[in-house]
Amino acid sequence: TEDRDLTAWLVLDQSASMRFGAAGHGKDTVLVELAVCLARLFTQGGNRVGAVLYDNGFQRVIPPRTSRNHVLHLTQQFTAQFSKPLAGNRDGKTTDLDAMLRLAATTARRRSLIFVLSDFIGDVDWEPALTRLALRHEVVAMRIVHPMELDLPDLGLVLVEDAETGEQFLVDTSDPLLQRRLRAEVDARELAVTAAMRRARVTAHRVGTDQDLAQAMVEMVRRSKRR
């Protein structure tokens, strides 16, 4: 049964960590493609779509509307921020996802369907804000990850940089001890994020940058149906 007069909000994490990956195949590309697909699907049914674009130093709210021109406007806004060079004066802080979710809560005043698109990298201090958001709205968390964030390949000695804090490290990726410690950190983070989303009672999906986008969206629908 088609749901009429639905308002959907797209909450987009546009922080520096979302730029990870090769040009055209990074997390930012997947974020934009997913958001545009969702906007197009909902507006085709006559529903309204709005957006909350968030970075620590930049926030923008686009009111919900329904039309093809509105989708084109959303697309332009989604890509505009990522086309800008990273600021050189990074403050050493990771993305404040708690503030992003609180902004979404104050923006969406009537009950809505809210999609949160982010990598959810950082401290898991956003759980209370996500829980409060889910009490009033139907929330779908779409976590976008790059394979190298889950399993760092053996590349020898490399210089890595935290895109958000600017901190740099010289890392020997062939070191077995480093690989074991990294694996343990990744596993702990995955468990923490999954548990937080389960406690918040939101529908959660993980989308890899190496996945086929159409297949990923079909699988999301199948999982939602099973629930």
Side-chain angles (χ1 to χ4, degrees):
T1 303
E2 188 173 0
D3 208 353
R4 292 288 182 178
D5 298 323
L6 174 73
T7 299
W9 285 93
L10 305 174
V11 181
L12 272 58
D13 175 2
Q14 293 200 310
S15 61
S17 68
M18 294 302 299
R19 300 188 185 212
F20 185 75
H25 301 281
K27 294 193 291 184
D28 53 349
T29 301
V30 175
L31 175 88
V32 171
E33 289 181 351
L34 275 173
V36 172
C37 284
L38 290 168
R40 185 66 179 139
L41 286 169
F42 282 104
T43 55
Q44 276 185 325
N47 301 301
R48 300 183 303 161
V49 177
V52 176
L53 313 182
Y54 187 88
D55 185 19
N56 284 353
F58 168 86
Q59 297 89 44
R60 182 168 186 186
V61 175
I62 304 173
R65 294 188 178 88
T66 178
S67 70
R68 181 175 181 275
N69 286 338
H70 182 56
V71 175
L72 293 173
H73 174 65
L74 288 173
T75 304
Q76 190 275 329
Q77 294 301 313
F78 294 164
T79 56
Q81 185 67 11
F82 286 129
S83 64
K84 298 177 182 177
L86 281 174
N89 55 344
R90 284 167 284 181
D91 57 7
K93 297 179 181 178
T94 56
T95 310
D96 192 345
L97 295 175
D98 174 74
M100 181 181 77
L101 295 169
R102 285 189 281 110
L103 175 61
T106 57
T107 300
R109 299 195 175 276
R110 57 176 288 188
R111 181 169 177 79
S112 306
L113 175 59
I114 297 180
F115 292 90
V116 182
L117 285 75
S118 172
D119 54 13
F120 288 91
I121 286 180
D123 297 328
V124 190
D125 58 355
W126 40 262
E127 184 183 339
L130 185 63
T131 302
R132 288 191 295 270
L133 190 66
L135 288 174
R136 186 173 183 182
H137 307 280
E138 183 178 351
V139 179
V140 179
M142 304 177 77
R143 185 163 170 242
I144 301 170
V145 300
H146 191 283
M148 286 182 66
E149 294 174 325
L150 305 175
D151 187 15
L152 184 65
D154 184 352
L155 301 172
L157 198 64
V158 296
L159 182 67
V160 297
E161 180 182 70
D162 188 314
E164 300 200 348
T165 66
E167 192 172 5
Q168 294 183 333
F169 303 90
L170 190 62
V171 175
D172 183 3
T173 58
S174 61
D175 183 355
L177 177 60
L178 171 74
Q179 288 286 354
R180 286 196 298 272
R181 290 178 59 188
L182 184 62
R183 183 72 262 165
E185 290 285 344
V186 168
D187 291 344
R189 184 187 68 199
E190 292 297 302
L191 286 172
V193 171
T194 301
M197 290 185 178
R198 186 183 300 115
R199 288 191 296 267
R201 296 182 179 275
V202 303
T203 302
H205 303 285
R206 193 173 80 178
V207 182
T209 58
D210 57 340
Q211 287 181 259
D212 178 84
L213 187 58
Q215 289 292 337
M217 293 191 73
V218 168
E219 181 57 29
M220 289 179 209
V221 174
R222 286 176 177 162
R223 287 183 58 196
S224 298
K225 277 187 171 184
R226 287 197 294 268
R227 291 189 56 182

